[in-house]
Amino acid sequence: MTLAPERPAATGTRLVDHFEHGLDAPICLTWELTYACNLACVHCLSSSGRRDPRELTTEECFGLIEEFESMKVFYVNIGGGEPTVRPDFWEIVDHAVAHNVGVKFSTNGFRITPERAERLARTDYVDVQVSLDGATPEVNDRVRGAGTFDAALRALRHLRDAGMQDTKLSVVCTRENIPQLDRFKEIADEHGAMLRLTRLRPAGRGAEVWNDLHPLPDQQRTIYDWLVAHGEGVLTGDSFFHLAAYGDALPGLNLCGAGRVVCLVDPVGDVYACPFAIHDRFLAGNVRGEGFGSVWRDAPLFRELRSPQTGGACTRCSAYDACRGGCMAAKFFTGLPLDGPDPECVKGNATEALAAVAGGTRPSPSQDHSHSGPVRNAPVPVTIARRPPASPCDESPVGPGRDPLTTG
Amino acid sequence: MLEQPWELNGSVAIRPEPFGALLYDFTTRRLTFLKDPRLVAVVEGLAMAPTVGEALDRAGVPAAERAGFDAALHRLAEQRMITRRTA
Ligand code: SF4
Ligand code: SF4
């Protein structure tokens, strides 16, 4: 990002203005425990599949949790890969809870047996988020793989029957499932779950399918109107603040929190500015060396992200205050300048720049743990390019409904 | 409220931040922000003060600003971030 003279601070008292300078500890910390996954979703943001031999050991995970506790990181969003694939997964969850670090974890549901569901329901401080990317098997399984729709619904039933509160049904919005928004809401309601809609970002394998799957311009409007109509009953994290350019701001975090309130610790302990920004450009350090706290506080990358940013071409846009130029990761992985419009700019201001990005010059992820051979359940790509799953954390620090802002 | 003893809810953790503090309720998973360091002092001082009014005094909140603090405390009470002390 370019450093630039500060834009006049709007009021100086809005929370986003404080957030821009970063917090003493993240609010939305995603911790991906493993690159191993039993699936191979085509849009996996972390290009997961195979375990990395350098992944943090159980002891290292425990140490990290203790550091989170001392920094008062209230909760972590655990993902992967499929975190439940790690044999010590439940031990890690128990350790976190015992150290006052809440856990919200994302899963494809395959391993949520009735017994597990009951145990989860009995554990305070643990929330479960089940991923589903189609409200019908046809739409879902094409992206996530054969049998994954049934597995997710089975998990939702087990969690409901066990009396689990506040399960989340997490959906990445795509061209194919946007017509199903109402049906997703029904599925969530039927299972006593909360619907969480997130944005498809061109991160990891998502970059390969982004062109085919990202919402069409009229679908963006559909999402916006649908979100406005459903208000705080649906979680979105920071997914759709670029749509605020249509009109009013949506509930949620209306700013790119990367390195300010958001970060990612990956399975090998690398700390990135955001779970959707797994690239050397956004690598701040590693927890194995200096420890997480000093990376968060002092990494030059994070200091840069917390310093005033220029909006580039966006500053001339009437919607800049609400939209703020959109998502850094989406710009980066589509090859756009970071201080310009989001590739999905609703005013169409990215169209030319996108067209000018020559094929093959988009940055690719710095790592890839995709399965190299066949995977049981692998998606059967029809129109979609190729391979695999994940669990985004863009859990909103100030998610609507659950976490409304109250200020003194 | 001003005449009553209150305290931070037992399930709420408080984290200082440059602008004030963050409160997180582990039970409701609700996050709240205190944007005035004096409000942080008031909230932290509740448990040790015989009444809310006394906590405001100890944090040095002048009379002219009481109404704003009172409103903020009521909001926190509605969210059960702070609760009435019984014992
Ligand atoms: S880069 Fe995008 S996904 Fe990451 S914090 Fe910023 S807006 Fe959110
Ligand atoms: S030009 Fe920039 S600020 Fe304006 S709507 Fe597009 S992305 Fe948002």
Short mmCIF file of all heavy atoms in Angstrom, two decimals, chain A residues 242 245 313-314 317-320 323-326 340-342 345-349, ligand 2:
data_model
loop_
_atom_site.label_atom_id
_atom_site.label_comp_id
_atom_site.label_asym_id
_atom_site.label_seq_id
_atom_site.Cartn_x
_atom_site.Cartn_y
_atom_site.Cartn_z
N HIS A 242 -18.06 -3.27 0.41
CA HIS A 242 -17.94 -2.62 -0.90
C HIS A 242 -19.32 -2.38 -1.53
O HIS A 242 -19.46 -1.55 -2.41
CB HIS A 242 -17.06 -3.43 -1.85
CG HIS A 242 -17.61 -4.80 -2.16
ND1 HIS A 242 -17.82 -5.77 -1.21
CD2 HIS A 242 -18.00 -5.35 -3.34
CE1 HIS A 242 -18.31 -6.85 -1.79
NE2 HIS A 242 -18.43 -6.63 -3.07
N ALA A 245 -21.62 1.08 -1.35
CA ALA A 245 -21.66 2.13 -2.35
C ALA A 245 -23.03 2.22 -3.04
O ALA A 245 -23.33 3.19 -3.72
CB ALA A 245 -20.55 1.90 -3.39
N ALA A 313 -7.60 6.31 -6.85
CA ALA A 313 -8.69 6.77 -7.70
C ALA A 313 -10.00 6.83 -6.93
O ALA A 313 -10.91 7.60 -7.26
CB ALA A 313 -8.82 5.84 -8.90
N CYS A 314 -10.14 6.01 -5.89
CA CYS A 314 -11.39 5.95 -5.13
C CYS A 314 -11.70 7.23 -4.37
O CYS A 314 -12.85 7.50 -4.06
CB CYS A 314 -11.35 4.79 -4.13
SG CYS A 314 -11.47 3.17 -4.90
N CYS A 317 -14.42 9.26 -5.49
CA CYS A 317 -15.73 8.62 -5.62
C CYS A 317 -16.64 9.06 -4.48
O CYS A 317 -16.22 9.13 -3.33
CB CYS A 317 -15.56 7.11 -5.59
SG CYS A 317 -17.08 6.20 -5.47
N SER A 318 -17.90 9.31 -4.82
CA SER A 318 -18.84 9.79 -3.80
C SER A 318 -19.09 8.72 -2.74
O SER A 318 -19.52 9.03 -1.63
CB SER A 318 -20.17 10.15 -4.48
OG SER A 318 -20.66 9.01 -5.18
N ALA A 319 -18.83 7.47 -3.07
CA ALA A 319 -19.12 6.40 -2.12
C ALA A 319 -17.92 6.03 -1.26
O ALA A 319 -17.98 5.10 -0.46
CB ALA A 319 -19.62 5.16 -2.87
N TYR A 320 -16.83 6.76 -1.42
CA TYR A 320 -15.60 6.33 -0.76
C TYR A 320 -15.74 6.16 0.75
O TYR A 320 -15.19 5.22 1.33
CB TYR A 320 -14.45 7.30 -1.07
CG TYR A 320 -13.14 6.84 -0.46
CD1 TYR A 320 -12.44 5.78 -1.02
CD2 TYR A 320 -12.63 7.43 0.70
CE1 TYR A 320 -11.26 5.32 -0.45
CE2 TYR A 320 -11.45 6.97 1.27
CZ TYR A 320 -10.77 5.92 0.69
OH TYR A 320 -9.61 5.47 1.26
N CYS A 323 -17.48 2.79 1.22
CA CYS A 323 -16.90 1.61 0.57
C CYS A 323 -15.40 1.49 0.79
O CYS A 323 -14.85 0.39 0.86
CB CYS A 323 -17.23 1.69 -0.93
SG CYS A 323 -16.18 0.68 -1.97
N ARG A 324 -14.74 2.60 0.92
CA ARG A 324 -13.30 2.64 1.19
C ARG A 324 -12.47 1.84 0.22
O ARG A 324 -11.41 1.31 0.56
CB ARG A 324 -13.03 2.17 2.61
CG ARG A 324 -13.52 3.17 3.61
CD ARG A 324 -13.64 2.63 5.00
NE ARG A 324 -14.03 3.72 5.86
CZ ARG A 324 -13.18 4.45 6.56
NH1 ARG A 324 -11.89 4.21 6.53
NH2 ARG A 324 -13.62 5.44 7.30
N GLY A 325 -12.99 1.71 -0.98
CA GLY A 325 -12.20 1.02 -1.99
C GLY A 325 -12.23 -0.49 -1.89
O GLY A 325 -11.59 -1.18 -2.67
N GLY A 326 -12.98 -1.02 -0.91
CA GLY A 326 -13.20 -2.46 -0.88
C GLY A 326 -12.07 -3.27 -0.29
O GLY A 326 -11.33 -2.81 0.58
N GLY A 340 -6.80 1.48 -5.30
CA GLY A 340 -7.79 1.82 -6.33
C GLY A 340 -9.05 1.03 -6.05
O GLY A 340 -9.20 0.46 -4.97
N PRO A 341 -9.96 0.99 -7.01
CA PRO A 341 -11.24 0.32 -6.79
C PRO A 341 -11.13 -1.20 -6.64
O PRO A 341 -10.24 -1.83 -7.21
CB PRO A 341 -12.06 0.66 -8.04
CG PRO A 341 -11.28 1.64 -8.83
CD PRO A 341 -9.89 1.66 -8.33
N ASP A 342 -12.05 -1.74 -5.90
CA ASP A 342 -12.24 -3.19 -5.73
C ASP A 342 -12.63 -3.79 -7.09
O ASP A 342 -13.31 -3.14 -7.87
CB ASP A 342 -13.39 -3.37 -4.73
CG ASP A 342 -13.59 -4.81 -4.31
OD1 ASP A 342 -14.14 -5.60 -5.11
OD2 ASP A 342 -13.21 -5.12 -3.17
N CYS A 345 -16.16 -3.36 -7.76
CA CYS A 345 -16.67 -2.00 -7.54
C CYS A 345 -18.05 -1.87 -8.16
O CYS A 345 -18.23 -2.12 -9.36
CB CYS A 345 -15.72 -0.99 -8.19
SG CYS A 345 -16.42 0.66 -8.37
N VAL A 346 -19.04 -1.49 -7.36
CA VAL A 346 -20.41 -1.48 -7.89
C VAL A 346 -20.64 -0.30 -8.83
O VAL A 346 -21.66 -0.25 -9.51
CB VAL A 346 -21.46 -1.48 -6.75
CG1 VAL A 346 -21.26 -2.69 -5.86
CG2 VAL A 346 -21.39 -0.19 -5.94
N LYS A 347 -19.70 0.62 -8.85
CA LYS A 347 -19.83 1.72 -9.80
C LYS A 347 -19.13 1.39 -11.12
O LYS A 347 -19.02 2.24 -12.00
CB LYS A 347 -19.27 3.01 -9.21
CG LYS A 347 -19.92 3.37 -7.87
CD LYS A 347 -20.11 4.86 -7.74
CE LYS A 347 -20.73 5.22 -6.40
NZ LYS A 347 -22.17 5.54 -6.53
N GLY A 348 -18.63 0.19 -11.21
CA GLY A 348 -17.99 -0.23 -12.47
C GLY A 348 -16.63 0.39 -12.70
O GLY A 348 -16.08 0.30 -13.80
N ASN A 349 -16.05 0.98 -11.66
CA ASN A 349 -14.79 1.69 -11.86
C ASN A 349 -13.56 0.79 -11.96
O ASN A 349 -12.46 1.28 -12.15
CB ASN A 349 -14.58 2.73 -10.76
CG ASN A 349 -15.54 3.90 -10.93
OD1 ASN A 349 -16.01 4.16 -12.03
ND2 ASN A 349 -15.85 4.58 -9.84
S1 SF4 C 2 -14.69 3.72 -6.98
FE1 SF4 C 2 -13.76 2.84 -5.14
S2 SF4 C 2 -14.89 3.80 -3.42
FE2 SF4 C 2 -16.12 4.10 -5.30
S3 SF4 C 2 -17.55 2.40 -5.30
FE3 SF4 C 2 -15.79 1.80 -6.53
S4 SF4 C 2 -14.44 0.70 -5.12
FE4 SF4 C 2 -15.91 1.86 -3.89
#
